[in-house]
């Protein structure tokens, strides 16, 4: 952890990486616990759904002979509405006084797990939703496990459908205890556990008066309480080479700085090849060349020496190199229909590198549905 | 300067470079509108001022003359290779919105595009669609594989994790790549303002009307507006309640019209 204390000096020309003002939130949980409804309700209660969309949804519901369905804001596909299930993840945009949100709806049905992971992989924070009566179910556990595996540590729990039990505090507390205990085993501490009714709108945008026994934040407030995501400028400099452009008699090494920062003139090393050189210039068309590049920026480098490094190599400062290894220990979540086989050759993608990999030992195995 | 635009810009540049690295035969669809204009600007950033692949425009013959004039002037300025595709057979047979709007879109746009993809053998095609335009686009992947007839299997899309885009496909698969999928309409205008990028003049109000979304003349309506500059459009979008594509008649034809068009390869 020796790099944690390093503080980045401010950049030039107003290029300081400030905290992100947009946060991506994924809504996860078991099928039918009300994820799409929560999102639709949140948008409705904050006046974010255009009236024509409301009219379109009302028209569909009328043809189907059912009450207004908030879930149809996200469930836009005909098959999703006919079968009343979210098939694929969708993203929509939402704004509070504090910041802008990208809201990612994730399907709760087991069959569409790959779509849930697709949605969750791009999130900064999550709302884990449960039906207060049904409590912790198979996909609740699996989704929570995936959040921890994906490294999403900012989690709010919403306990839904309390209108079905007359907003009974004991029902809420029972489910709250169960989910807190389970999340504890995954090292997740929820920022808050909010009792809600997505259908009726309690504790979504405003508290309402049916759960006065609850004194915590509404869903809207819980979102605003999440911390911003920061660019990792304080970590060592790492730049995976994405491509090399051989144009106009020079080689530009293109890619994104993943962590840290580097200056013109810094001695640098490509790994795993070990080639050493010095940063000659940092390109960012159409601006003038930069003096330094920082985490989060897509730039191009030229170097003092002619070298033939390729996509997949990682550039680091020569005084702060990562360790290179041929064997790693990893947690693997296996999605494919065919089983993962020890000794078989697989293609491993890591940043922009692709290498052949073989599993030498499976040390521990767990089924995410029976956690 | 907005750091959210920095994050979006970096994401888009990363996607553009990934597509260029992965598909030897790549092209970009250029619709002349604001979204393609931003996408092209991002590509010039990604490739240090160059556009290392052709721009494809599908000409339905129903575009506004101002759009074609803008297209020709800008492609020259960028030094871009412009490829214009037309479904000549359908045009000769008199296809037009009077024969049914959705049929016209399918023939002149979808078929015009798929004919071009077949003729040129493009493996990757960059498109400037955005998730906030409408419901079926909200479900899209960044790298979206298409079948032999450009059809979209929206009920069974591959997983897409972080920036590890799926690029290993069976021979003959054609992939739609969407570099600005995560941008909103407002982001587009804020970025145009920040980068001082020129856009088609039809977007600016004249005599109390302007185009919010550009398409074919018979099927694209104006909105009431006095916004005559990019900054005024940004202010207008912050309070407007109608959706962006309300003026696009093909979207309004029936429920799920866009889903059905797009499942068959529409942009």
């Amino acid at each position: 952890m020796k790099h944690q204390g390093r503080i980045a000096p401010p950049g030039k020309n107003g290029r300081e990486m400030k905290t992100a003002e947009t946060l991506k939130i994924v809504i996860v949980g078991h099928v039918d616990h009300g994820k799409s409804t929560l999102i639709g309700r949140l948008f409705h209660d904050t006046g974010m759904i255009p009236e024509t969309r409301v009219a379109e949804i009302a028209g569909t519901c009328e043809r189907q002979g059912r009450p207004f369905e908030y879930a149809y804001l996200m469930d836009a596909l005909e098959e999703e509405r006919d079968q009343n299930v979210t098939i694929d993840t969708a993203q929509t945009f939402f704004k509070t006084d504090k910041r802008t949100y990208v809201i990612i709806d994730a399907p709760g049905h087991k069959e569409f797990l790959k779509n849930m992971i697709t949605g969750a992989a791009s999130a900064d924070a999550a709302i884990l939703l449960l039906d207060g009566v049904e409590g912790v179910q198979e996909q609740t556990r699996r989704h929570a496990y995936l959040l921890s595996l994906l490294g999403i540590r900012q989690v709010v729990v919403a306990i839904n459908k309390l209108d079905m039990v007359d907003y009974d505090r004991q029902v809420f507390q029972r489910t709250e205890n169960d989910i807190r205990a389970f999340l504890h085993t995954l090292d997740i501490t929820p920022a808050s556990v909010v009792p809600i009714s997505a259908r009726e709108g309690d504790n979504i945008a405003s508290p309402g008066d049916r759960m006065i026994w609850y004194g915590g934040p509404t869903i809207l407030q819980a979102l605003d309480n999440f911390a911003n995501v920061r660019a990792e400028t304080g970590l060592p400099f790492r730049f995976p080479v994405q491509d090399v452009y051989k144009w106009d008699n020079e080689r530009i090494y293109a890619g994104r700085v993943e962590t840290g920062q580097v200056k013109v003139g810094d001695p640098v090393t490509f790994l795993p090849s070990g080639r050493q050189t010095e940063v000659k210039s940092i390109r960012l068309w159409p601006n003038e060349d930069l003096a330094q590049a920082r985490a989060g920026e897509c730039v191009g480098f030229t170097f003092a020496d002619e070298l033939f490094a390729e996509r997949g190599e990682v550039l680091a400062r020569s005084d702060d190199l990562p360790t290179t290894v041929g064997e790693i220990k990893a947690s693997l979540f296996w999605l494919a229909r065919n089983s993962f086989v020890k000794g078989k050759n697989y293609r491993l993608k890591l940043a922009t590198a692709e290498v052949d990999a073989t599993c030498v030992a499976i040390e521990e195995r767990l089924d995410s549905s029976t956690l | 300067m907005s750091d959210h635009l920095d994050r979006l810009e970096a994401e888009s540049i990363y996607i553009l470079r990934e597509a260029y690295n992965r598909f030897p035969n790549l092209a970009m669809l250029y619709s002349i509108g604001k979204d393609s204009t931003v996408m092209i600007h991002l590509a010039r950033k990604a490739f240090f001022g160059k556009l290392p692949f052709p721009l494809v425009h599908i000409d339905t013959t129903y575009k506004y003359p101002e759009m074609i004039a803008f297209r020709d002037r800008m492609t020259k300025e960028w030094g871009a290779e412009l490829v214009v595709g037309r479904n000549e057979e359908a045009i000769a047979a008199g296809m037009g919105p009077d024969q049914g709007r959705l049929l016209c879109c399918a023939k002149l746009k979808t078929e015009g595009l798929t004919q071009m993809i077949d003729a040129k053998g493009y493996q990757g095609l960059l498109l400037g669609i955005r998730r906030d335009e409408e419901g079926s686009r909200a479900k899209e992947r960044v790298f979206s594989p298409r079948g032999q007839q450009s059809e979209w299997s929206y009920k069974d899309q591959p997983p897409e994790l972080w920036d590890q885009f799926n690029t290993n496909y069976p021979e003959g698969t054609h992939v739609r790549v969407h570099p600005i999928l995560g941008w909103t309409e407002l982001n587009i205008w804020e970025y145009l303002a920040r980068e001082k990028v020129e856009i088609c003049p039809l977007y600016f109000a004249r005599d109390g009307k302007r185009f919010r979304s550009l398409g074919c003349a018979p099927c694209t309506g104006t909105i009431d507006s006095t916004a005559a500059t990019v900054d005024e459009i940004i202010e207008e979008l912050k309070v407007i309640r109608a959706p962006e594509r309300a003026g696009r008649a093909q979207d309004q034809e029936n429920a799920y019209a866009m889903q059905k068009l797009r499942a068959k390869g529409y942009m």
Side-chain angles (χ1 to χ4, degrees):
Chain A
M1 299 304 273
K2 64 174 177 157
H3 306 293
Q4 292 274 315
R6 204 168 293 169
I7 289 168
K12 277 186 178 169
N13 310 324
R15 291 193 309 113
E16 292 89 351
M17 276 285 174
K18 289 167 288 183
T19 53
E21 64 183 15
T22 293
L23 210 61
K24 295 183 177 179
I25 310 285
V26 66
I27 321 286
V28 299
H30 196 74
V31 63
D32 285 341
H33 282 197
K35 294 178 292 297
S36 304
T37 307
L38 167 65
I39 298 170
R41 185 84 218 193
L42 191 59
F43 276 73
H44 181 267
D45 288 3
T46 49
M48 301 283 291
I49 313 181
E51 278 146 40
T52 43
R53 272 311 288 282
V54 175
E56 180 262 324
I57 292 168
T60 304
C61 294
E62 201 184 313
R63 278 192 299 281
Q64 291 184 329
R66 54 187 304 175
F68 188 85
E69 184 53 79
Y70 292 105
Y72 286 1
L73 176 69
M74 299 303 268
D75 294 341
L77 300 176
E78 185 174 21
E79 291 81 353
E80 292 179 318
R81 292 180 178 183
D82 284 352
Q83 294 156 30
N84 205 19
V85 66
T86 305
I87 293 173
D88 210 334
T89 179
Q91 297 191 7
T92 189
F93 303 85
F94 180 77
K95 211 171 166 349
T96 66
D97 290 339
K98 182 167 178 187
R99 63 182 157 216
T100 304
Y101 294 95
V102 178
I103 303 286
I104 306 166
D105 190 20
H109 198 284
K110 189 178 167 181
E111 192 187 330
F112 307 124
L113 191 65
K114 67 183 168 60
N115 298 337
M116 176 270 166
I117 296 176
T118 297
S122 63
D124 303 316
I127 295 177
L128 175 63
L129 188 80
L130 294 86
D131 179 322
V133 182
E134 286 194 9
V136 177
Q137 295 290 314
E138 180 181 332
Q139 300 308 318
T140 318
R141 283 191 289 268
R142 188 177 269 137
H143 286 190
Y145 172 72
L146 284 165
L147 292 180
S148 79
L149 195 67
L150 290 165
I152 299 170
R153 285 284 174 268
Q154 296 200 75
V155 180
V156 160
V157 173
I159 296 183
N160 191 22
K161 302 197 185 180
L162 293 178
D163 53 306
M164 307 293 278
V165 287
D166 289 331
Y167 303 96
D168 186 337
R169 187 180 188 174
Q170 282 178 345
V171 173
F172 167 71
Q173 281 173 335
R174 195 163 55 230
T175 305
E176 181 189 16
N177 291 339
D178 290 349
I179 190 67
R180 276 188 189 276
F182 177 69
L183 290 177
H184 184 72
T185 66
L186 299 173
D187 253 351
I188 295 175
T189 308
S192 35
V193 179
V194 189
I196 65 165
S197 164
R199 192 159 297 281
E200 302 302 322
D202 304 275
N203 282 330
I204 308 296
S206 62
D209 53 12
R210 291 180 284 222
M211 285 184 276
I212 41 170
W213 44 265
Y214 170 75
T218 61
I219 291 295
L220 200 60
Q221 288 164 340
L223 290 178
D224 278 348
N225 288 342
F226 281 132
N228 282 328
V229 175
R230 288 161 201 282
E232 303 277 15
T233 46
L235 296 175
F237 170 67
R238 301 287 183 260
F239 177 83
V241 177
Q242 193 180 6
D243 210 340
V244 186
Y245 304 130
K246 293 148 214 157
W247 292 331
D248 308 325
N249 293 319
E250 64 176 0
R251 284 168 178 266
I252 303 176
Y253 289 76
R256 181 176 57 206
V257 181
E258 294 298 329
T259 54
Q261 49 199 313
V262 74
K263 299 189 302 295
V264 171
D266 278 352
V268 286
T269 303
F270 285 95
L271 292 169
S273 71
R275 289 184 185 89
Q276 296 181 30
T277 184
E278 213 172 79
V279 176
K280 185 178 158 193
S281 72
I282 306 172
R283 304 280 167 84
L284 189 76
W285 186 91
N287 303 6
E288 280 180 38
D289 285 0
L290 307 170
Q292 64 170 358
R294 305 155 59 88
E297 295 179 339
C298 282
V299 293
F301 290 109
T302 65
F303 298 104
D305 307 281
E306 185 161 332
L307 10 94
F308 300 96
E310 288 180 348
R311 174 183 167 96
E313 292 222 50
V314 176
L315 188 73
R317 279 214 329 242
S318 298
D319 61 1
D320 203 348
L321 297 179
T323 316
T324 52
V325 294
E327 207 174 292
I328 55 165
K329 204 184 238 191
S331 300
L332 202 66
F333 189 87
W334 195 249
L335 268 173
R337 286 184 189 93
N338 300 331
S339 303
F340 180 72
V341 182
K342 194 170 102 176
K344 196 177 157 185
N345 227 9
Y346 290 98
R347 200 97 183 115
L348 177 71
K349 288 182 164 191
L350 187 60
T352 56
E354 277 189 44
V355 294
D356 288 329
T358 312
C359 169
V360 291
I362 299 170
E363 295 187 348
E364 197 189 342
R365 183 167 38 190
L366 58 91
D367 182 346
S368 63
S369 63
T370 54
L371 286 162
Chain B
M1 157 168 173
S2 158
D3 45 341
H4 180 53
L5 289 180
D6 290 339
R7 189 175 169 183
L8 286 173
E9 180 189 65
E11 263 173 30
S12 299
I13 289 175
Y14 193 87
I15 295 162
L16 285 160
R17 286 175 175 165
E18 209 60 9
Y20 180 59
N21 181 276
R22 300 276 107 176
F23 301 110
N25 196 354
L26 178 72
M28 179 181 277
L29 196 66
Y30 176 41
S31 76
I32 316 172
K34 62 189 190 313
D35 303 317
S36 327
T37 300
V38 163
M39 182 166 61
I40 288 168
H41 184 72
L42 289 163
R44 296 173 80 211
K45 282 204 169 191
F47 306 110
F48 304 98
K50 292 184 193 305
L51 280 175
F53 36 70
L55 302 181
V56 174
H57 178 234
I58 302 304
D59 185 13
T60 60
T61 72
Y62 289 105
K63 302 292 171 191
Y64 289 94
E66 290 93 330
M67 291 172 71
I68 301 299
F70 182 79
R71 177 195 76 186
D72 292 343
R73 184 163 65 78
M74 294 314 289
T75 44
K76 213 168 176 181
E77 194 181 308
W78 297 323
E81 179 194 346
L82 177 70
V83 181
V84 178
R86 289 154 70 112
N87 185 349
E88 296 292 0
E89 204 187 311
I91 291 166
M95 179 49 68
D98 52 331
Q99 303 200 15
R101 284 187 209 283
L102 297 180
L103 182 66
C104 183
C105 275
K107 284 285 169 192
L108 297 187
K109 291 175 89 174
T110 312
E111 234 170 75
L113 177 61
T114 49
Q115 285 171 1
M116 174 63 78
I117 293 166
D118 288 344
K120 298 280 186 180
Y122 294 131
Q123 298 152 301
L125 191 68
L126 296 155
L127 278 87
I129 62 161
R130 305 186 337 265
R131 286 202 176 102
D132 81 326
E133 285 184 85
E134 50 84 33
S136 78
R137 287 183 175 100
K139 301 262 172 191
E140 271 283 7
R141 297 286 189 266
V142 176
F143 277 56
S144 179
R146 302 305 165 114
Q148 291 290 339
Q149 266 73 50
S150 279
E151 72 276 15
W152 178 38
S153 305
Y154 57 85
K155 282 186 283 179
D156 189 22
Q157 301 197 75
E160 186 166 79
L161 304 191
W162 312 295
D163 295 330
Q164 293 294 353
F165 303 111
N166 201 350
T167 48
N168 306 325
Y169 301 106
E171 194 85 16
T173 310
H174 137 80
V175 181
R176 302 276 173 92
V177 182
H178 305 129
I180 57 166
L181 200 55
W183 294 55
T184 64
E185 184 187 15
L186 187 60
N187 296 150
I188 291 287
W189 286 102
E190 286 170 342
Y191 191 71
L192 287 166
R194 181 181 107 170
E195 302 285 311
K196 301 184 175 60
V197 179
E198 188 179 345
I199 57 143
C200 184
L202 290 173
Y203 285 108
F204 300 116
R206 263 190 322 202
D207 307 324
K209 306 245 177 237
R210 75 173 192 91
F211 288 93
R212 189 168 165 200
S213 176
L214 282 183
C216 296
C219 298
T220 307
T222 53
I223 58 166
D224 291 335
S225 170
T226 55
T229 65
V230 174
D231 288 339
E232 285 169 14
I233 289 172
I234 291 169
E235 287 315 305
E236 179 187 274
L237 289 177
K238 285 179 178 165
V239 292
I240 207 160
R241 292 295 312 271
E244 178 182 5
R245 291 179 64 90
R248 302 294 289 273
Q250 68 268 33
D251 292 42
Q252 274 44 266
E253 274 293 286
N254 56 49
Y256 315 113
M258 207 30 75
Q259 173 187 339
K260 289 185 169 141
L261 273 176
R262 299 195 67 257
K264 293 192 171 131
Y266 186 87
M267 22 312 251

